[in-house]
Amino acid sequence: IYTQSTWGTLSFLKVARFQCGSETRWESQAGSRIQCIVTENHQDVLPFIYKAIRQKRLPFSALTVVHFDSHPDLGFPDKFLADTVFDPHRMFQELSIADFLLPPVYAGHISHLVWCRPPWAKQFKEGLYTFEVGKHRESGLLKVSCDDPYFLDDRSVSPVVELVDCKPLSLYVITVDPNGPPLQAPSVIGYIPITSAVILDVDLDFFSTYNPFLQELITELGEESAHLIQEVFCGWRRPGETSLDTNEYIRSKSEFTELIRRIMSESLFRHPIDTFQSVCEPLFKRLFGMQRAFELIQPFYSLLNGIKENQLQLVETAGSHTDLPNHKSTQHELETYLGAFRRFICESALPQPAMITVARSSIDGYTPQDQIESIQESTLNILKGLWSDIDVEVYGWDVQYS
């Protein structure tokens, strides 16, 4: 557990800048071993990365993160001010599991990110994305210049001309599929600058994951009702599949959010079906098409009209998150994906990492509780087999920053 006295108020904030050579790969201090940090919550790996930078075990800039996860974790906290990144203690307290990677990009530490996703994770299409992370000139909020639906959903997109103090990020998305074609080494190593230090970051939900929002809806309302809610909230905006252009997507998302707010605040589902339908129909037709709109409105009305107040609140808060990956692996699949993880690292010619971070993600409902211990043990055994000079440090869910 890290306390204020451990980090040190002044020494922690004064992170040293390490200039790496222009032609050779960055290397850690002679004789140093690879630190492998295991935490429960994924954002809790970030203070350890910052500490390694301060102690010059990692360079200040040009870091590459190779990120194995069922989720890209590229969100922002709501109304996150860009200048917060220069107050690390405050930043750590504001970040969560889904939004801890882009702030250190803006701080100048990370410049390249390789998201290694399992086949069931579809938040981004495969390929290379290059964009800017910067401070919005008027609001002071942290924004990105990439208009992918993932960022549009997070309301974190801004034209690059409206951003200042921009930092470039290269994001490479690749699927780790044990049933796919053999991996060609240049497909990964070609995107890692020769001078970059590599952090290997593994969320154990890469191997098996629940969608805790969908699971809670299934527990409360049953599987059929949960999937109806999923279709209403997310069926029209599946990542990478929407035919809407950027402006239309933003407008539709705003209108849909306002429609749900109105349905709930005015209890429109307690009114006659004709009233409910007249309010929903124009937007539903535009988003789903006429036939699908008619197929959804009546069941959605009946569902809302037949559940309790606390369940209505759950629908409103969880509905928009029901499209997150939801795939609990069988034992055979676990063994297959653990093998694919090892082969991927070997076949991609990934350089020896300067640091390894591992997140369990079990308490928050992502990595299944009945699988987490075996997945962790197997993953650490693989890492120790690949690099013998690893020192594993395991921390709980209550890592302290100040």
Side-chain angles (χ1 to χ4, degrees), residues 38 75 85 149 369:
V38 182
V85 305
Q369 291 275 355

Side-chain angles (χ1 to χ4, degrees), residues 289-302:
M290 182 176 296
Q291 181 62 37
R292 190 60 180 143
F294 286 132
E295 293 172 351
L296 289 173
I297 290 174
Q298 171 71 55
F300 189 47
Y301 171 82
S302 299

Side-chain angles (χ1 to χ4, degrees), residues 41-333:
N41 300 315
H42 208 160
Q43 76 272 20
D44 287 339
V45 305
L46 197 55
F48 296 97
I49 293 173
Y50 270 57
K51 185 179 182 183
I53 294 172
R54 176 172 64 83
Q55 295 179 341
K56 299 186 180 180
R57 291 183 286 109
L58 288 175
F60 180 89
S61 59
L63 289 169
T64 293
V65 176
V66 179
H67 178 66
F68 286 83
D69 201 320
S70 281
H71 314 87
D73 298 338
L74 294 175
F76 289 130
D78 189 41
K79 298 180 180 178
F80 185 78
L81 293 172
D83 289 346
T84 306
V85 305
F86 303 116
D87 183 350
H89 290 291
R90 178 183 169 193
M91 178 181 70
F92 297 152
Q93 291 168 354
E94 292 191 22
L95 297 181
S96 69
I97 56 171
D99 52 32
F100 69 96
L101 283 172
L102 289 182
V105 172
Y106 180 68
H109 304 312
I110 298 171
S111 60
H112 291 75
L113 177 64
V114 181
W115 179 34
C116 303
R117 68 180 193 183
W120 52 80
K122 304 291 187 182
Q123 295 92 320
F124 282 93
K125 290 183 178 180
E126 282 194 314
L128 178 65
Y129 301 74
T130 56
F131 55 93
E132 304 289 328
V133 180
K135 176 181 178 179
H136 191 266
R137 191 183 305 275
E138 294 184 3
S139 69
L141 299 177
L142 201 57
K143 299 283 185 178
V144 299
S145 63
C146 178
D147 61 359
D148 186 89
Y150 178 91
F151 294 116
L152 294 174
D153 276 344
D154 208 32
R155 295 177 295 178
S156 58
V157 178
S158 179
V160 69
V161 295
E162 297 179 7
L163 302 178
V164 296
D165 301 327
C166 291
K167 303 297 190 301
L169 177 66
S170 292
L171 167 65
Y172 182 50
V173 179
I174 187 168
T175 303
V176 180
D177 187 352
N179 301 313
L183 180 70
Q184 300 299 314
S187 64
V188 173
I189 196 66
Y191 291 97
I192 300 177
I194 191 64
T195 56
S196 184
V198 174
I199 298 172
L200 176 59
D201 176 63
V202 184
D203 193 317
L204 298 183
D205 74 10
F206 168 83
F207 302 101
S208 181
T209 188
Y210 278 136
N211 177 338
F213 301 97
L214 184 61
Q215 291 299 318
E216 187 173 4
L217 285 168
I218 291 173
T219 299
E220 280 287 328
L221 304 175
E223 193 163 341
E224 183 177 348
S225 295
H227 287 295
L228 171 62
I229 294 164
Q230 182 183 45
E231 180 66 16
V232 169
F233 278 80
C234 303
W236 64 273
R237 61 176 183 87
R238 291 189 176 94
E241 298 178 12
T242 178
S243 60
L244 304 176
D245 63 28
T246 299
N247 292 332
E248 178 67 11
Y249 188 93
I250 294 173
R251 182 167 72 91
S252 297
K253 176 68 184 296
S254 176
E255 290 177 358
F256 182 82
T257 301
E258 175 58 26
L259 174 62
I260 295 298
R261 186 206 61 79
R262 183 183 174 191
I263 289 173
M264 297 300 183
S265 65
E266 299 180 16
S267 298
L268 292 179
F269 45 86
R270 306 298 187 203
H271 293 245
I273 179 62
D274 291 345
T275 302
F276 184 85
Q277 185 165 324
S278 66
V279 173
C280 296
E281 193 173 281
L283 184 59
F284 270 56
K285 281 184 178 179
R286 179 152 57 86
L287 295 180
F288 295 99
M290 182 176 296
Q291 181 62 37
R292 190 60 180 143
F294 286 132
E295 293 172 351
L296 289 173
I297 290 174
Q298 171 71 55
F300 189 47
Y301 171 82
S302 299
L303 169 65
L304 297 179
N305 197 32
I307 60 178
K308 302 174 183 177
E309 186 64 31
N310 66 310
Q311 295 172 326
L312 287 168
Q313 294 173 359
L314 176 62
V315 170
E316 186 172 10
T317 56
S320 61
H321 302 291
T322 52
D323 59 344
L324 293 175
N326 188 60
H327 180 95
K328 183 180 180 181
S329 297
T330 64
Q331 184 59 38
H332 174 70
E333 286 176 319

Side-chain angles (χ1 to χ4, degrees), residues 363-397:
I363 292 178
D364 54 17
Y366 289 93
T367 311
Q369 291 275 355
D370 60 337
Q371 296 179 330
I372 180 59
E373 300 304 335
S374 64
I375 293 175
Q376 177 176 315
E377 180 181 4
S378 298
T379 302
L380 293 178
N381 285 340
I382 289 172
L383 295 172
K384 292 173 184 176
L386 291 169
W387 300 288
S388 59
D389 54 344
I390 290 179
D391 290 328
V392 178
E393 304 172 30
V394 181
Y395 296 83
W397 62 270

